[in-house]
Amino acid sequence: MSTVEKAISLLNFFTEDAPEWGLSELARQAQFDKATTRRLLVALANSGLIEQHTVTRRYQLGAGLLRLARVRESHFPLLQVAVPVLRDVAAATDETVHLSEFGGRGLVTLHVEESTKANRVSVAVGQTLPLHATASGIAFLAFSPPQLAKSYLRKSLTAFTRHTLVQPARLDDAIKAAAEHGYSRGEQGYEDGVFSIAAPILGLDGYALGSIAIAMPQSRSTKATTERHIQAVRGAAQAISTRLFGEQPAPRQARVA
Amino acid sequence: MSTVEKAISLLNFFTEDAPEWGLSELARQAQFDKATTRRLLVALANSGLIEQHTVTRRYQLGAGLLRLARVRESHFPLLQVAVPVLRDVAAATDETVHLSEFGGRGLVTLHVEESTKANRVSVAVGQTLPLHATASGIAFLAFSPPQLAKSYLRKSLTAFTRHTLVQPARLDDAIKAAAEHGYSRGEQGYEDGVFSIAAPILGLDGYALGSIAIAMPQSRSTKATTERHIQAVRGAAQAISTRLFGEQPAPRQARVA
DNA sequence: TGTCCATGGATCATTTTTTGATCCGATAGT
DNA sequence: ACTATCGGATCAAAAAATGATCCATGGACA
């Protein structure tokens, strides 16, 4: 891990639940030496991505992030476009709907609209979703560049539940099915009792840039809800792509004749 | 400049006017070697702060910034709180109002509400304001920790116009006046023809964390508008502090008896 | 169609930076 | 008063970063 990656990995410890950290506790959590951690924090502070309280000496995320986030959304308004769509789907289905985007850290959750029901699926913003064990991941793989999917299949696949697809042949089958149908189903592959339907959000190149998924307790799933959710995520994914890029060419799938 | 600072400095080239960069052009602009620039961009991409287009190979800011910005605002809602206040002041005065915060990169502009008049002052978000040459800077210095102001006065002060306060004694006088009155006046110190009134926004420690300013063409300034603007920025700064921190103790100034 | 130029990208000897064990002063808790 | 933990500083050793040079590719132009 390069020095830059080390420094930025520190930023990822700051969450809504833990918005402030002392030096020593962050070093412990990050498993970096205290001196190293401090040097990295000082560099981040000098660059405006971190701020240190003058009194408590604790660290928080800095205002420099706000400008960068604004530039990002101004140019590529994924959240601005997707959040209303997710809200609509969550309102229509009363289930948890979440958006994820594929990047340097894998398929990362960007936004979640939770169901109002007490018995609901919770997903954390910032969480990385394993590609083989989630509906979002499989939907993404089904419409990703062929060699990304191919190299993923060669990796050692972690089992999260006894339903996780850890055999490459079975994962490949699921990817093919998703490519054919335009959506994927996640049947307790990442967590027992959770059922999901996901669709890929396509970019200008025709490949998936991320996914949108509806997640619910398995016990609440029926054939009727499944059909409705399939329609909803496919429609939502299409709406997000269209609003971001306009009408587009056919998707380019991992599998092609 | 550390490697981490170098990497993050690349992020700052991404603006609303230049949201995408190719490798070679960014290297030229940053005055880094192309190989160095690429390594830094790859590290940023691996961390989700930068994304590279699969087709054009150009770089843009990454979605990882969105989550971090959200955590920051969730914990310290400076923009969320301040933007409505800036809008109110801009509506009431019909002049440009801008917010800046002091951090690792100095006093950086976070938000601007421009006047609707054709003849208006424009300020760029992200721009660093020189402390000695702007009303915001002087307001900030007047309520900053004593040794910050003291060490700033020892620096070589750049002249931006013939009105810029480059003599330490005169800057010190302006700081003292601002400390006494609770606001500062910027009379063409940074740009000819621009007149500003600024007030410090105080943090929990009683020191300034940033400033709010009203900027207008000098030619439009009258004694009456100046009085109104003084009231407006002081009220706005107070409102922002109170909403962020609640009622607070007396300000701690650079100068104390 | 061929040439030229600029692109993004890779390499590795050399240079520079980073690292972390150790020590320090300060503060809080007992 | 003592102990533990904090944030912070130092510097010999270790590791990473650097950038000159080379490469393949694609676009512009004649």
Side-chain angles (χ1 to χ4, degrees):
Chain A
M1 194 188 274
S2 75
T3 304
V4 172
E5 288 166 353
K6 270 183 164 179
I8 297 165
S9 74
L10 290 179
L11 296 178
N12 295 322
F13 286 99
F14 293 84
T15 61
E16 257 133 341
D17 294 329
E20 287 186 12
W21 290 80
L23 170 62
S24 300
E25 69 185 321
L26 183 56
R28 272 196 303 277
Q29 198 68 31
Q31 293 193 309
F32 291 160
D33 185 87
K34 192 157 58 72
T36 299
T37 305
R38 180 170 186 272
R39 250 189 336 273
L40 297 174
L41 286 172
V42 166
L44 291 167
N46 287 344
S47 305
L49 299 195
I50 278 275
E51 286 168 8
Q52 187 180 26
H53 287 284
T54 48
V55 174
T56 63
R57 316 302 293 163
R58 290 166 76 77
Y59 295 88
Q60 68 174 31
L61 292 173
L65 291 161
L66 302 177
R67 187 191 78 79
L68 295 171
R70 179 189 315 204
V71 169
R72 153 77 191 197
E73 272 293 287
S74 170
H75 176 61
F76 186 61
L78 179 55
L79 277 188
Q80 193 181 315
V81 160
V83 168
V85 176
L86 263 70
R87 283 196 177 126
D88 287 346
V89 175
T93 60
D94 199 7
E95 295 295 356
T96 296
V97 186
H98 58 99
L99 170 78
S100 47
E101 196 207 37
F102 188 82
R105 292 172 59 219
L107 190 63
V108 178
T109 306
L110 295 191
H111 190 80
V112 183
E113 289 290 330
E114 281 194 6
S115 168
T116 63
K117 295 178 176 113
N119 181 22
R120 70 177 76 154
V121 172
S122 268
V123 184
V125 169
Q127 182 180 356
T128 300
L129 304 172
L131 299 183
H132 63 295
T134 59
S136 296
I138 294 171
F140 172 78
L141 281 172
F143 292 85
S144 66
Q147 82 199 60
L148 194 156
K150 195 171 288 179
S151 71
Y152 195 86
L153 279 161
R154 282 200 290 272
K155 293 173 74 173
S156 176
L157 305 175
T158 305
F160 295 92
T161 70
R162 61 187 190 80
H163 300 99
T164 310
L165 302 173
V166 295
Q167 287 167 307
R170 299 189 61 191
L171 177 59
D172 197 37
D173 286 346
I175 292 170
K176 275 171 170 162
E180 188 185 336
H181 299 121
Y183 70 91
S184 68
R185 311 160 66 103
E187 314 206 36
Q188 309 188 76
Y190 190 37
E191 191 167 326
D192 280 318
V194 173
F195 176 73
S196 301
I197 298 285
I201 299 168
L202 304 181
L204 271 178
D205 54 6
Y207 289 122
L209 59 85
S211 306
I212 180 172
I214 301 174
M216 68 195 294
Q218 178 88 355
S219 58
R220 201 152 64 220
S221 169
T222 66
K223 198 173 176 186
T225 63
T226 297
E227 288 302 317
R228 282 205 296 279
H229 291 182
I230 290 167
Q231 294 291 337
V233 290
R234 294 192 72 189
Q238 179 70 35
I240 293 169
S241 287
T242 303
R243 287 185 206 178
L244 285 171
F245 307 110
E247 298 297 325
Q248 318 174 54
R252 295 167 74 187
Q253 294 162 346
R255 290 296 177 277
V256 149
Chain B
M1 194 186 273
S2 75
T3 304
V4 172
E5 288 166 353
K6 269 184 166 179
I8 297 164
S9 75
L10 289 179
L11 295 179
N12 295 323
F13 285 98
F14 294 84
T15 63
E16 256 133 339
D17 294 330
E20 288 187 14
W21 290 81
L23 170 61
S24 301
E25 69 186 320
L26 183 54
R28 268 195 307 275
Q29 196 69 30
Q31 293 191 309
F32 294 160
D33 186 88
K34 193 156 57 73
T36 299
T37 304
R38 180 168 187 274
R39 255 190 330 275
L40 297 175
L41 287 171
V42 166
L44 291 166
N46 287 344
S47 305
L49 299 196
I50 278 274
E51 287 168 7
Q52 188 181 24
H53 288 282
T54 48
V55 175
T56 63
R57 318 301 291 164
R58 292 168 72 80
Y59 295 88
Q60 70 174 30
L61 292 173
L65 292 162
L66 303 177
R67 186 192 78 80
L68 296 171
R70 178 189 315 203
V71 169
R72 153 77 191 195
E73 271 293 287
S74 170
H75 177 60
F76 187 60
L78 179 55
L79 276 187
Q80 193 181 313
V81 160
V83 168
V85 176
L86 263 69
R87 284 200 174 122
D88 287 347
V89 176
T93 59
D94 199 8
E95 295 294 356
T96 297
V97 186
H98 59 99
L99 170 79
S100 47
E101 198 206 36
F102 188 82
R105 293 172 58 220
L107 190 64
V108 178
T109 306
L110 294 191
H111 190 79
V112 183
E113 289 291 330
E114 282 196 5
S115 169
T116 62
K117 294 178 176 113
N119 181 22
R120 71 178 76 156
V121 172
S122 268
V123 185
V125 169
Q127 180 181 359
T128 298
L129 304 172
L131 299 182
H132 63 294
T134 57
S136 296
I138 293 171
F140 172 78
L141 281 173
F143 292 85
S144 66
Q147 79 200 60
L148 194 155
K150 196 171 289 182
S151 72
Y152 195 87
L153 279 163
R154 281 199 291 271
K155 291 174 73 172
S156 175
L157 305 173
T158 305
F160 295 92
T161 70
R162 60 187 191 81
H163 301 100
T164 310
L165 301 173
V166 295
Q167 288 167 308
R170 300 189 60 191
L171 178 58
D172 196 38
D173 286 345
I175 292 168
K176 277 172 172 164
E180 189 185 338
H181 298 121
Y183 70 91
S184 67
R185 311 159 67 101
E187 314 205 36
Q188 309 185 77
Y190 191 37
E191 191 166 327
D192 281 318
V194 173
F195 177 73
S196 300
I197 297 287
I201 299 167
L202 303 182
L204 271 179
D205 55 5
Y207 289 124
L209 59 85
S211 307
I212 179 172
I214 301 175
M216 70 196 290
Q218 178 89 355
S219 57
R220 202 151 64 222
S221 168
T222 67
K223 199 176 175 186
T225 62
T226 297
E227 288 300 318
R228 282 203 296 279
H229 293 181
I230 289 168
Q231 292 290 340
V233 290
R234 294 192 72 189
Q238 180 70 35
I240 293 168
S241 288
T242 304
R243 287 184 207 178
L244 285 171
F245 307 109
E247 298 296 327
Q248 317 172 54
R252 296 167 74 185
Q253 295 163 345
R255 290 294 177 278
V256 149

